[in-house]
Each structure stands twice: as structure tokens, then as C-alpha cells.
């Protein structure tokens, strides 16, 4: 794991504990720094039609409101959780950050249900394509706010993330043992099963189509 | 320029970052378009302005790769200026070829820039020797991008009669209708894939949560409702799920993507020159993953090694999380 890789488990745990005002202030600070480091990207964001997006990490108690277009982007915590927004992007924090950094293709995330987009799709597509033009690194930018402590902070975060992942894996193992979860199917069998399921779905769809056609022919015989 | 190994790998770029990602991942050639209706991926925030195009071409050329510029939509009568300007700008920026579909734009490019290579876009839907030879004789095309309707045997029979190079699709979304002639999306949204460069334009698309499921709408019509465990797809009319006689089914085509990585030797034996990866609307993570996988396979085939199973993980990148050989296997239905 690189020092600037986003420590998803650690960040999710820490952000769950942070009070909203503190998290909001930190997010706004991070956004301002990104604006200084990526001026061209922020110019492009400012040129987009004005819109408000709700960012809803499904594994956090917090909801964010991102205002873009017509000026510098602004990010704040939506304390009520129901402030009107033009669109909403939902997903785990890890997926949302991976999208922001361009490590995850948004269409792939959408196909696989890792994210859900509702509301003004054009605004979300415009934001996605604009972000794709540059390379943001959330961990690098966030720790850079600490000045000379950035390096030690990154190393500490990396170690804590490694420990967090080990603890999570151990807990999952213990949970599986306690509940006597049957062993997972080997990857090849799981892939075959998925393939068979898809094939059945395709065949069922084709059958419905053929039946519809036959019924149609019965109802409207050729003259 | 670097000589392609086995087959030329032609890769998509919707942004300057994606162009660099494609080159770095091993593309021989990258194709892209300008930020307007002159190309078939005219989505918000996507594509290149003049300076970005110039810089992107310079980046590729410095690494021995080519850049093709798609000007492959059809101008409306009397509104050809933007398309002519796109061809001029591509030539001025140093593009290696332009990908064109419209007869008038082809004529303009042939007269104004005779030394700039012209490729016939898939949007022209030219799939027989007479049509392709017409474009070669009249407009001097060097390459045709074949529509996704031919079986491998049909590709071989066609290529044997051609005096131009043939490029075929190898991965990505499938067009189920006759390319460049589909009116379903424009009928429903008022914007045309062929003239405006958008199928299912983003401003007409809406997803709505519906209990555990998700509704996908295009304009005022619902195209699909996905259950909680179902993979999702774009709400394009050709891949909508419609209720007929009481049963929902995919009337035209399943949401599924093409992956021809398993038949690359067959395509080479058929006389194909280049493989096209679809997806200028996709992110650089998609570009990196798909291009790297195909690069590894092509390198192995060029060196006589068994191809790696790198492409096995690619199905998740495709629409609906499913992949097919489509018409290559069974011809056009």
C-alpha cells in the first residue's frame, strides 16, 4: 500500500466518530486546498451549470452537499439530511473516493450497484467527466494540510490501515466460525454459477419474446 | 511510429487524462473527438478542445503512437461549418487520421486535406464490398470500421474483397441497430445520436429508487426496473425491458457488452488490421484495465505464447456485467 493510497477502513471508522461541525470544517479546508493545487480543474468545475449534489456515503452517518458551477465549488455537511438537492450519489465511502480519484470507472460502479445516482443525471455526468480530466489524490491532499507532519501522518495512517484490515479480517473469520458459515464456493464454481444464472435469465427473456411473438401471430393471423 | 504487434490496438479517450492512460497502458492508437456535436460521444464535460487535442497528439507521438480524431456524426443541411472546422482543426493539430461517416464531410476532407488519412466510421454502416469500394474510389478512405453485425467468416469473406484496411470492434458496448441509422433515441428525446452525437442524452435520463429496486427512465418512459440483485444497464431504448402480452422481456437486445478477446487469432486470420475498444464515455480506470488486458494478450500472441487470462475479469466492466461474442459467433439476428 502506497503512503498516499486512501485508507478506506481507517477513514470510515474515524469519520463515523467525528462530530459534523468538525468534519464539515475539515472537508471545506480540503476542498480549498484542492482548488489551489488543481486550478484548471476548479475552473472547469466553476464553468459547469450551477447545481447541488447530495453525496451520501452509505457507511457513514453524515451527508454532504456539494455546490458546483457558477463559482468555486463549496462542500458542506447536510445536518438535517434532507436539504433539497438536484441529484444524489450514494455508495460506500471507499467507492466514492475511488470515483473522485479516477481509480473506479463510474459506469462499472453503476452496473455493479456499487453506486446509485438519482435526480439530475446530466449534472452528475458533467461532474464525473470533469473530474476525470485531472487526478485528485484525497489522502495526499488531506495530509498535505498538516505541513511538515504530512509524511509521518501518511506513514501512521498506512500502519493503522494495515492493522484495521487485519482486525476486520480476524473479526470476519471469527464471525464465520461462530455462525458456522459454509465455506465460500471456489472462484471458478462461483463464476460458473453466475454464468449459468445469466444464461437462464437470457433464455427466460428469449422465451418470453418468442411466446409474445407466437401469441401475436395467433391473434393476428397473416391475411 | 511504433509498429503494431499482431493487430493494431485502437483505444478510446474521452479526456486528456484517458488519452495518456491509454498510451501508457499500451495502445498503438488512440481515438478521440472535440467538445461538440461533431462526434458520436457528445456528453457533458467530455472530449477535447483544440489545445488539449494538440497536447494529446504530441504526448502520443512522442511515444510512437497514433491519434485518430472522430468527426463521425452527420451535419444537418446548411450547418456544415462546425464539421469542416473540426476536420481542419484535427489536421492542424497533427492527427494521424480522421474518422468520418458523412459523404459531404468525407468530400470536404478529401479535397481540403488530401494527405490526411481518412477512415470510414462505423456510423456509415458500410458492410459490403460495393459500399466500401465506393467510399475508397470517391473519397480515398484507407480504412473501414466494420459494423458489429458480421460473423467472423463474413468478416473474412468481406476483407478478402477489400482494397482498404479493416478495423473491427473487440470490446465494449454493442449497437444493436443499424449504426448511424437508429432513430429510437431521437424519437424519444428529440436529440439524435447521428446528428447530435448522443444516444440517451444525460439530461433525458433519470434513475429513481423504487423500494429495493431502481427505475431507469428516458424522457417520460420507463426503460427498465432493476431488482435489488440485478446488474444495471444504460436506459437506451434498444436495451429496454418492455412488457408485451403481460411478460417483461428485452425485446431487442440484452444489456450485454462485447468481448472478442478469445477469438483474436480468428480475427487476424480473417485479415483484420486493427481492433477497436469502445468507450470514449468511460473513465480512465476502464481505459487502463481494458487496454492493459488486450495489450498482454496481443503481446503473447505475437510472441507465440499462450495468451494470459487477463481478460477474464473484464466482464464486470461491461454493461449489465455480462459479455458476449455477439454477431462474431452466430451472425446477425
Amino acid at each position: 500500500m502506497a503512503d498516499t493510497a486512501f485508507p478506506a477502513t481507517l477513514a470510515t471508522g474515524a469519520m463515523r466518530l467525528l462530530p459534523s461541525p468538525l468534519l464539515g470544517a475539515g472537508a471545506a479546508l480540503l476542498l480549498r486546498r484542492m482548488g489551489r493545487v488543481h486550478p484548471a480543474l476548479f475552473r472547469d468545475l466553476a464553468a459547469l451549470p450551477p447545481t447541488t449534489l447530495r453525496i451520501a456515503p452509505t457507511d457513514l452517518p453524515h451527508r454532504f452537499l456539494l455546490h458546483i458551477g457558477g463559482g468555486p465549488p463549496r462542500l458542506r455537511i447536510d445536518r438535517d439530511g434532507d436539504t433539497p438537492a438536484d441529484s444524489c450519489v450514494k455508495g460506500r465511502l471507499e467507492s466514492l473516493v475511488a470515483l473522485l480519484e479516477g481509480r473506479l470507472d463510474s459506469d462499472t460502479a453503476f452496473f455493479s450497484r456499487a453506486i446509485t445516482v438519482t435526480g439530475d443525471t446530466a449534472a452528475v455526468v458533467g461532474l464525473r467527466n470533469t473530474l476525470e480530466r485531472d487526478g485528485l489524490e484525497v489522502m495526499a491532499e488531506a495530509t498535505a494540510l498538516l505541513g511538515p507532519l504530512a509524511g509521518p501522518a501518511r506513514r501512521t495512517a498506512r500502519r493503522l490501515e494495515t492493522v484495521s484490515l487485519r482486525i476486520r479480517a480476524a473479526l470476519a473469520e471469527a464471525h464465520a466460525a461462530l455462525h458456522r458459515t459454509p465455506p465460500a464456493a471456489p472462484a471458478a464454481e462461483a463464476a460458473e454459477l453466475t454464468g449459468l444464472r445469466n444464461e437462464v435469465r437470457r433464455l427466460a427473456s428469449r422465451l418470453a419474446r418468442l411466446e409474445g411473438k407466437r401469441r401475436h401471430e395467433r391473434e393476428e393471423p397473416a391475411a | 511510429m511504433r509498429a503494431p504487434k499482431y493487430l493494431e490496438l485502437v483505444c478510446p479517450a474521452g479526456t486528456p487524462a484517458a488519452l495518456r492512460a491509454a498510451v501508457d497502458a499500451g495502445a498503438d492508437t488512440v481515438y478521440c473527438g472535440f467538445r461538440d456535436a461533431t462526434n458520436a460521444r457528445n456528453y457533458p464535460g467530455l472530449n477535447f478542445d483544440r489545445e488539449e487535442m494538440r497536447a494529446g497528439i504530441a504526448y502520443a507521438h512522442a511515444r510512437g503512437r497514433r491519434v485518430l480524431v472522430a468527426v463521425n456524426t452527420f451535419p444537418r443541411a446548411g450547418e456544415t461549418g462546425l464539421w469542416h472546422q473540426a476536420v481542419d482543426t484535427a489536421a492542424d493539430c497533427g492527427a494521424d487520421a480522421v474518422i468520418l461517416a458523412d459523404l459531404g464531410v468525407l468530400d470536404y476532407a478529401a479535397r481540403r486535406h488530401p494527405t490526411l488519412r481518412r477512415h470510414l466510421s462505423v456510423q456509415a454502416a458500410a458492410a459490403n464490398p460495393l459500399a466500401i469500394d465506393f467510399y475508397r474510389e470517391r473519397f480515398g478512405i484507407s480504412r473501414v470500421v466494420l459494423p458489429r453485425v458480421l460473423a467472423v467468416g463474413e468478416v473474412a469473406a468481406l476483407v478478402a474483397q477489400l482494397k482498404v484496411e479493416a478495423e473491427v470492434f473487440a470490446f465494449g458496448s454493442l449497437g444493436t441497430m443499424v449504426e448511424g441509422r437508429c432513430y429510437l433515441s431521437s424519437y424519444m428525446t428529440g436529440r439524435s445520436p447521428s446528428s447530435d452525437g448522443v444516444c440517451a442524452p444525460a439530461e433525458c435520463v433519470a434513475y429513481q429508487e423504487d423500494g429495493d429496486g431502481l427505475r431507469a427512465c428516458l424522457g417520460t418512459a420507463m426503460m427498465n426496473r432493476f431488482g435489488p440483485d440485478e446488474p444495471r444497464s444504460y436506459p437506451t431504448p434498444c436495451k429496454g425491458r418492455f412488457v408485451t402480452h403481460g411478460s417483461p422481456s428485452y425485446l431487442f437486445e440484452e444489456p450485454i457488452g462485447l468481448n472478442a478477446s478469445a477469438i483474436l487469432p480468428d480475427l487476424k486470420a480473417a485479415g483484420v488490421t486493427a481492433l477497436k475498444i469502445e468507450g470514449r464515455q468511460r473513465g480512465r480506470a476502464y481505459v487502463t484495465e481494458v487496454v492493459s488486458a488486450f495489450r498482454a494478450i496481443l503481446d503473447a500472441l505475437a510472441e507465440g505464447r499462450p495468451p494470459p487470462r487477463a481478460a477474464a475479469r473484464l466482464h464486470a466492466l461491461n454493461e449489465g456485467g455480462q459479455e458476449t461474442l455477439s454477431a462474431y459467433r452466430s451472425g446477425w439476428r
Side-chain angles (χ1 to χ4, degrees):
Chain A
M1 186 182 171
D3 275 354
T4 53
F6 183 70
T9 310
L10 178 68
T12 306
M15 287 170 75
R16 271 192 197 132
L17 299 175
L18 281 179
S20 292
L22 195 58
L23 188 58
L29 207 59
L30 178 60
L31 195 67
R32 275 204 293 277
R33 177 182 161 79
M34 287 176 168
R36 285 198 301 274
V37 178
H38 302 273
L41 171 65
F42 275 58
R43 267 198 304 276
D44 286 346
L45 289 172
L48 291 170
T51 191
T52 302
L53 297 97
R54 183 191 314 287
I55 313 290
T58 51
D59 45 359
L60 288 184
H62 311 288
R63 300 291 173 261
F64 300 86
L65 288 172
L66 175 64
H67 306 277
I68 54 168
R74 286 170 293 127
L75 181 67
R76 66 182 175 90
I77 298 268
D78 180 18
R79 288 189 198 163
D80 303 329
D82 58 359
T83 305
D86 301 306
S87 51
C88 177
V89 183
K90 266 189 202 174
R92 293 172 62 82
L93 179 68
E94 186 173 11
S95 301
L96 296 173
V97 172
L99 284 175
L100 183 65
E101 295 185 334
R103 290 183 285 108
L104 176 63
D105 172 66
S106 59
D107 289 18
T108 306
F110 168 72
F111 297 151
S112 65
R113 309 187 303 276
I115 60 161
T116 298
V117 173
T118 51
D120 182 354
T121 310
V124 180
V125 170
L127 173 63
R128 184 278 306 261
N129 288 337
T130 305
L131 289 172
E132 277 284 342
R133 307 178 83 79
D134 208 329
L136 295 176
E137 283 188 287
V138 172
M139 185 61 183
E141 311 286 5
T143 49
L145 290 169
L146 301 172
L149 296 176
R154 285 173 196 161
R155 286 192 291 277
T156 307
R158 180 167 54 97
R159 284 193 205 110
L160 287 173
E161 177 72 357
T162 309
V163 172
S164 306
L165 287 170
R166 275 195 205 132
I167 292 171
R168 199 166 71 169
L171 284 173
E173 206 171 300
H175 182 269
L178 275 173
H179 294 273
R180 296 187 182 171
T181 308
E189 285 176 23
E192 192 180 357
L193 188 63
T194 307
L196 287 170
R197 275 194 187 132
N198 290 336
E199 189 65 29
V200 168
R201 200 179 296 142
R202 269 200 297 276
L203 289 171
S205 186
R206 199 160 293 166
L207 188 64
R209 214 163 18 197
L210 286 171
E211 280 175 353
K213 196 176 165 194
R214 206 174 53 182
R215 213 173 302 150
H216 181 70
E217 283 167 358
R218 262 204 311 264
E219 286 166 8
E220 293 180 17
Chain B
M1 288 292 147
R2 188 175 85 158
K5 283 189 198 171
Y6 203 77
L7 289 165
E8 181 183 335
L9 186 56
V10 183
C11 304
T15 61
L19 182 147
R20 293 191 294 272
V23 168
D24 296 347
D28 295 308
T29 302
V30 180
Y31 67 102
C32 42
F34 292 112
R35 301 182 85 164
D36 53 38
T38 61
N39 74 92
R41 289 289 183 274
N42 179 24
Y43 292 99
L46 208 64
N47 294 318
F48 293 62
D49 63 24
R50 177 192 285 260
E51 287 318 307
E52 287 169 340
M53 187 65 80
R54 194 185 297 283
I57 291 172
Y59 184 88
H61 284 178
R63 288 153 185 81
R65 321 302 170 84
R66 297 172 186 79
V67 175
L68 317 179
V69 178
V71 187
N72 60 345
T73 46
F74 297 83
R76 290 190 179 88
E79 296 177 12
T80 51
L82 189 63
W83 279 258
H84 293 175
Q85 188 187 0
V87 172
D88 294 341
T89 308
D92 180 53
C93 290
D96 297 282
V98 279
I99 308 171
L100 312 173
D102 179 74
L103 292 169
V105 180
L106 275 157
D107 183 61
Y108 177 85
R111 289 173 193 273
R112 187 63 69 94
H113 304 283
T115 58
L116 178 63
R117 267 174 72 101
R118 292 168 294 285
H119 292 186
L120 187 64
S121 169
V122 69
Q123 290 290 101
N128 63 68
L130 275 177
I132 296 166
D133 221 39
F134 167 78
Y135 284 105
R136 183 189 63 80
E137 281 179 7
R138 298 303 298 268
F139 308 116
I141 61 160
S142 308
R143 178 181 294 185
V144 57
V145 184
L146 294 178
R148 289 160 273 194
V149 296
L150 301 168
V152 175
E154 292 170 328
V155 171
L158 175 59
V159 172
Q161 299 176 69
L162 297 183
K163 293 174 185 153
V164 296
E165 299 166 358
E167 179 175 311
V168 298
F169 280 87
F171 191 88
S173 282
L174 282 166
T176 54
M177 301 303 170
V178 179
E179 317 242 13
R181 314 267 199 281
C182 178
Y183 295 96
L184 277 176
S185 179
S186 51
Y187 176 75
M188 299 184 67
T189 67
R191 295 188 70 204
S192 155
S194 306
S195 291
D196 299 309
V198 277
C199 177
E203 69 271 21
C204 299
V205 168
Y207 298 103
Q208 299 155 5
E209 289 185 297
D210 177 19
D212 283 348
L214 187 76
R215 290 169 177 233
C217 301
L218 182 64
T220 54
M222 186 166 81
M223 292 289 104
N224 213 334
R225 184 190 182 281
F226 306 104
D229 300 322
E230 277 188 298
R232 296 167 182 169
S233 58
Y234 301 122
T236 47
C238 60
K239 292 173 191 165
R241 185 156 45 180
F242 304 105
V243 178
T244 50
H245 297 286
S247 313
S249 70
Y250 290 104
L251 282 180
F252 303 114
E253 181 60 287
E254 319 279 331
I256 196 166
L258 172 70
N259 183 358
S261 60
I263 58 163
L264 301 188
D266 301 332
L267 292 172
K268 178 155 176 77
V272 163
T273 299
L275 298 173
K276 186 175 215 113
I277 308 293
E278 185 277 343
R280 282 193 287 129
Q281 76 284 16
R282 305 291 294 266
R284 56 189 192 275
Y286 165 94
V287 169
T288 299
E289 191 147 2
V290 179
V291 178
S292 305
F294 272 84
R295 179 78 273 149
I297 296 169
L298 290 172
D299 286 352
L301 290 170
E303 292 158 18
R305 291 184 280 116
R309 291 184 50 79
R313 64 174 189 272
L314 293 182
H315 73 276
L317 301 177
N318 257 325
E319 190 173 7
Q322 299 185 75
E323 61 188 24
T324 176
L325 280 171
S326 186
Y328 285 136
R329 186 173 56 184
S330 50
W332 186 235
R333 286 187 286 127

